[in-house]
């Protein structure tokens, strides 16, 4: 092939998902679902029985690559997301993390900020298995389907580290007011560790990155700016300073109207919207960023005609601009697989 052929390669040979993130409006939006890999699939539950525990599963490249690819075999999704968890970073920084069956995550005592700051470099090394998973998936995935790497956003990860479990986050939110320096210091360590972790994922083959800020709700505007928007902007800048131009999606779930300030300040190329986001707010955001979302996972689980109507409505209200079809939060474990396939077909025609 002549060099000029590669130089002049038309933009439309890019995966559809990456074209949308480059702010293109397409004949149909790309589609993937948050938490598409996992417990809604019987083959995942089968694979899961082979792992000692969930954390070891995430650190086993062979099994994690298989879990990443399982939904890609079943559904015509335009992107895969590496199988891992947002709580791997606290573990790599020296805090004990485990999952209580049927309950969720548990974390041991919060180590001192100093000890975690000392382990930032080592933390990326301890997460090298995730890079290996990414390499395997990228090698197995068709070129027209993109691979997404991810991390938890600092505030959301900090809430689990502070509370020791999933919770109402009252302790963590109180810390934002009562011990702001301590929270800011914890977030600074997480920003640093996250930049390195995501850079490693890009080096391994991740073509886009998502920051999961699952707990952006219930924060006053100034606090939101301090612990959500600014740390996201610091992560984006940290990656750009390393010469990494990979597109980044921020998902500040529950941000409400603050999502507009977020989109203006975080420096991300894509913004994930949650189930409450209005059609109008999404359309305003599309002028500057690509939006992603926002089908209600409960409606996906419920199915029926209401589901079809909502899919059509989302395509109608946002499909005229840069848009990635997704849920407003993750797939619920007992969602019927036929409903997922039905929505994927309705969006892609396949
Ligand atoms: O999206 C994907 O399919 C990729 C893999 C992925 C997982 N977790 C696998 C997982 C991703 C992107 C995550 C992100 C994650 N993890 C978030 C942010 C998104 C969100 O849902 O808000 C959060 C808050 C976590 C932390 C976490 N991990 C919790 C609270 C739990 C237990 C409850 C639950 O939702 O399952 C997990 C466990 C977990 N993470 C499982 C999977 C497949 C289930 C583990 C099992 O198989 O037993």
């Amino acid at each position: 092939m002549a060099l000029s052929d590669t130089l002049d390669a038309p933009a439309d040979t890019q995966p559809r998902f990456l074209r949308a993130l480059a702010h293109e409006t397409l004949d149909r939006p790309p589609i993937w679902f948050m938490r598409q890999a996992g417990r809604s699939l019987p083959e995942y539950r089968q694979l899961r029985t082979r792992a000692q525990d969930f954390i070891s599963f995430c650190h086993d490249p062979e099994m994690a690559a298989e879990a990443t690819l399982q939904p890609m075999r079943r559904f015509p999704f335009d992107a895969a997301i590496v199988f891992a968890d947002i709580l791997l970073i606290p573990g790599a920084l020296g805090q004990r993390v485990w999952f209580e069956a049927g309950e969720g995550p548990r974390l041991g005592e919060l180590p001192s900020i100093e000890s975690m700051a000392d382990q930032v470099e080592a933390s990326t090394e301890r997460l090298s298995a995730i890079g290996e998973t990414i390499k395997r998936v990228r090698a197995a995935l068709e070129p027209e389907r993109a691979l997404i790497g991810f991390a938890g956003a600092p505030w959301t990860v900090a809430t689990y580290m502070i509370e020791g479990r999933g919770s109402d986050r009252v302790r963590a939110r109180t810390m934002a007011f009562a011990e702001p320096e301590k929270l800011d210091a914890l977030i600074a360590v997480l920003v640093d560790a996250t930049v390195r972790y995501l850079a490693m994922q890009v080096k391994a083959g991740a073509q886009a990155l998502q920051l999961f800020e699952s707990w952006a709700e219930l924060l006053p505007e100034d606090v939101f700016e301090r612990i959500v928007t600014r740390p996201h902007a610091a992560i984006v800048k940290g990656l750009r300073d390393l010469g990494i131009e990979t597109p980044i999606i921020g998902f500040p779930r529950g941000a409400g109207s603050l999502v507009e300030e977020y989109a203006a300040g975080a420096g991300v190329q894509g913004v994930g919207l949650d189930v409450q986001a209005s059609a109008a707010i999404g359309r305003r955001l599309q002028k500057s960023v690509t939006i992603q979302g926002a089908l209600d996972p409960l409606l996906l689980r419920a199915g029926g005609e209401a589901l079809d109507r909502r899919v059509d409505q989302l395509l109608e209200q946002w499909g005229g601009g840069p848009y990635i079809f997704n849920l407003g939060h993750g797939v619920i474990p007992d969602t019927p697989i036929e409903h997922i396939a039905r929505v994927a077909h309705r969006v892609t025609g396949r």
Side-chain angles (χ1 to χ4, degrees):
M1 188 167 68
L3 182 61
S4 59
D5 291 342
T6 48
L7 290 176
D8 297 339
D12 61 6
T13 59
Q14 282 267 326
R16 178 178 291 271
F17 174 79
L18 296 178
R19 290 173 62 198
L21 262 185
H23 213 237
E24 273 187 61
T25 300
L26 304 167
D27 55 337
R28 65 141 178 106
I31 177 173
W32 71 283
F33 282 171
M34 292 185 281
R35 307 296 285 272
Q36 65 194 21
R39 292 173 302 183
S40 55
L41 302 179
E43 60 271 33
Y44 170 81
R45 292 192 293 267
Q46 174 62 35
L47 185 65
R48 177 76 174 76
T49 61
R50 277 176 40 203
Q52 242 184 357
D53 57 76
F54 177 64
I55 302 278
S56 338
F57 189 153
C58 293
H59 283 280
D60 181 323
E62 191 202 329
M63 287 179 60
E66 175 59 20
T68 306
L69 290 166
Q70 284 176 342
M72 305 308 287
R73 297 194 192 103
R74 256 187 203 271
F75 311 114
F77 287 146
D78 295 291
I81 181 162
V82 63
F83 189 86
D85 198 81
I86 68 163
L87 299 179
L88 298 183
I89 283 192
L93 289 172
Q95 186 173 23
R96 208 157 64 86
V97 180
W98 71 101
F99 282 81
E100 221 45 83
E103 289 193 41
R106 293 286 183 277
L107 293 85
E109 205 185 322
L110 184 66
S112 72
I113 304 289
E114 296 72 36
S115 99
M116 291 190 287
D118 286 343
Q119 295 185 69
V120 165
E121 216 180 306
S123 72
T124 312
E125 196 54 47
R126 292 175 189 147
L127 295 168
S128 60
I130 288 74
E132 184 54 35
T133 303
I134 289 173
K135 279 184 200 151
R136 288 178 188 228
V137 173
R138 192 51 278 172
L141 202 61
E142 304 90 323
E144 63 273 20
R145 303 169 103 184
L147 176 56
I148 306 167
F150 76 91
W155 160 246
T156 290
V157 174
T159 66
Y160 287 96
M161 296 176 78
I162 292 161
E163 304 271 354
R165 58 195 298 160
S167 68
D168 55 13
R169 300 163 310 285
V170 167
R171 274 174 66 190
R173 285 186 283 130
T174 300
M175 191 188 269
F177 303 113
E179 299 174 278
E181 299 83 11
K182 186 175 174 190
L183 180 61
D184 289 349
L186 173 56
I187 286 179
V189 169
L190 290 170
V191 165
D192 198 3
T194 303
V195 168
R196 290 165 190 264
Y197 178 47
L198 292 176
M200 182 271 281
Q201 294 186 38
V202 169
K203 203 169 159 220
Q207 297 156 290
L209 299 168
Q210 177 155 322
L211 290 170
F212 284 89
E213 190 75 276
S214 301
W215 300 118
E217 64 190 28
L218 301 177
L219 301 172
E221 185 172 9
D222 56 338
V223 177
F224 180 91
E225 158 72 19
R226 190 179 106 225
I227 68 180
V228 174
T229 306
R230 258 192 262 161
H232 286 233
I235 291 169
V236 174
K237 181 173 187 308
L239 289 164
R240 301 301 179 241
D241 286 349
L242 293 171
I244 293 168
E245 296 302 328
T246 306
I248 301 168
I249 302 169
F251 175 44
R253 188 175 74 90
S257 61
L258 295 180
V259 72
E260 299 206 70
E261 271 137 290
Y262 173 83
V268 293
Q269 289 62 55
V271 172
L273 299 175
D274 60 45
V275 299
Q276 287 202 22
S278 67
I281 214 167
R283 279 198 289 259
R284 280 202 297 280
L285 290 175
Q286 282 179 309
K287 293 182 184 137
S288 55
V289 295
T290 299
I291 58 169
Q292 172 176 283
L295 182 68
D296 193 329
L298 289 169
L299 179 53
L300 179 68
R301 182 171 65 174
E305 249 179 63
L307 175 60
D308 291 348
R309 277 201 306 274
R310 178 60 176 158
V311 170
D312 293 349
Q313 186 182 50
L314 286 165
L315 293 170
E316 175 69 24
Q317 74 186 32
W318 288 335
Y323 176 44
I324 296 165
F325 196 97
N326 205 317
L327 300 174
H329 198 189
V331 178
I332 298 165
D334 61 353
T335 301
I337 287 165
E338 314 83 72
H339 297 183
I340 302 175
R342 186 180 177 90
V343 171
H345 173 71
R346 210 168 177 85
V347 173
T348 66
R350 282 185 284 142

